[in-house]
Amino acid sequence: MTAVSNLPHPRTAHTDLTERVDDLDALIWAAARDTDDPQLAVLRAREFAESVFIGIVLTIGSGAHRLNCSVPTSSGPVTAGEDLRLDIATEIPAVGLPASGAERELCELFALAHVSGAEATLILRSRPLLEPDAGSGTPGYVVRGWRVAGGTTTPIDAAGMFAFCCSEASSGEPLPLDPNTRYVDARALVTPPGPD
């Protein structure tokens, strides 16, 4: 059995997070207005979002992880205010999430992508749950990602993730490379079945 706990991480001011989640909620409901049944569309979007989040936790394995999502909107891409930091130890079956409730913001982004029909990009940066080595320092991140669109998640290959992360979104200009970062092919997410 896996234990999920909210560990204290004083990274996000609660008011800022609450405001961002409220703003995402408004965007979700605005996108749902174009459907036959907005309330059902929002419910389905949030169910989908939670299954994606659970799928990420079940799929990514042990390590210190940072997760974010980029959802294109008419006014530009929307992302979480900061990466969600989570630690997963499969040997001890435990998941540590920040006490701020920041996972709600990511779930709202997943729901927004679902209800608006936008193709969102999930970006996951991972490294081992090891203390930095005195000689070699902190290990670099392994980066992988998924496209979220049409009620499905699709793994992105290493080249696609490199292209997404290493260029400026607005201009396409290359960004400085971190030699300690590796881009890898993502695996399919294991998501729980939806409600009947």
Side-chain angles (χ1 to χ4, degrees), residues 2-88:
T2 299
V4 177
S5 64
N6 286 329
L7 303 175
H9 293 293
R11 297 205 180 271
T12 305
H14 183 67
T15 305
D16 292 341
L17 176 62
T18 302
E19 289 173 7
R20 290 194 312 266
V21 169
D22 288 347
D23 290 346
L24 287 168
D25 182 61
L27 289 172
I28 290 166
W29 281 99
R33 282 192 203 109
D34 295 336
T35 67
D36 292 336
D37 186 343
Q39 189 169 2
L40 181 61
V42 170
L43 174 68
R44 293 284 188 243
R46 290 204 165 116
E47 288 171 347
F48 172 75
E50 288 177 10
S51 74
V52 169
F53 186 78
I54 291 167
I56 289 167
V57 170
L58 293 175
T59 303
I60 61 177
S62 290
H65 305 283
R66 292 173 45 201
L67 179 67
N68 212 321
C69 179
S70 178
V71 181
T73 68
S74 59
S75 59
V78 179
T79 63
E82 64 180 47
D83 291 348
L84 173 66
R85 296 174 185 270
L86 60 151
D87 296 333
I88 297 179

Side-chain angles (χ1 to χ4, degrees), residues 112-187:
L112 175 61
H114 184 76
V115 76
S116 69
E119 183 179 276
T121 305
L122 276 65
I123 306 107
L124 178 71
R125 293 169 177 85
S126 304
R127 65 172 146 217
L129 279 174
L130 303 172
E131 293 297 320
D133 181 87
S136 60
T138 304
Y141 281 103
V142 172
V143 180
R144 55 195 153 169
W146 296 264
R147 295 261 185 251
V148 179
T152 63
T153 57
T154 306
I156 300 173
D157 65 13
M161 208 61 233
F162 176 85
F164 181 83
C165 291
C166 295
S167 59
E168 175 62 42
S170 60
S171 67
E173 292 294 316
L175 295 172
L177 299 179
D178 179 352
N180 293 323
T181 299
R182 290 185 307 123
Y183 298 87
V184 299
D185 296 346
R187 296 178 295 198

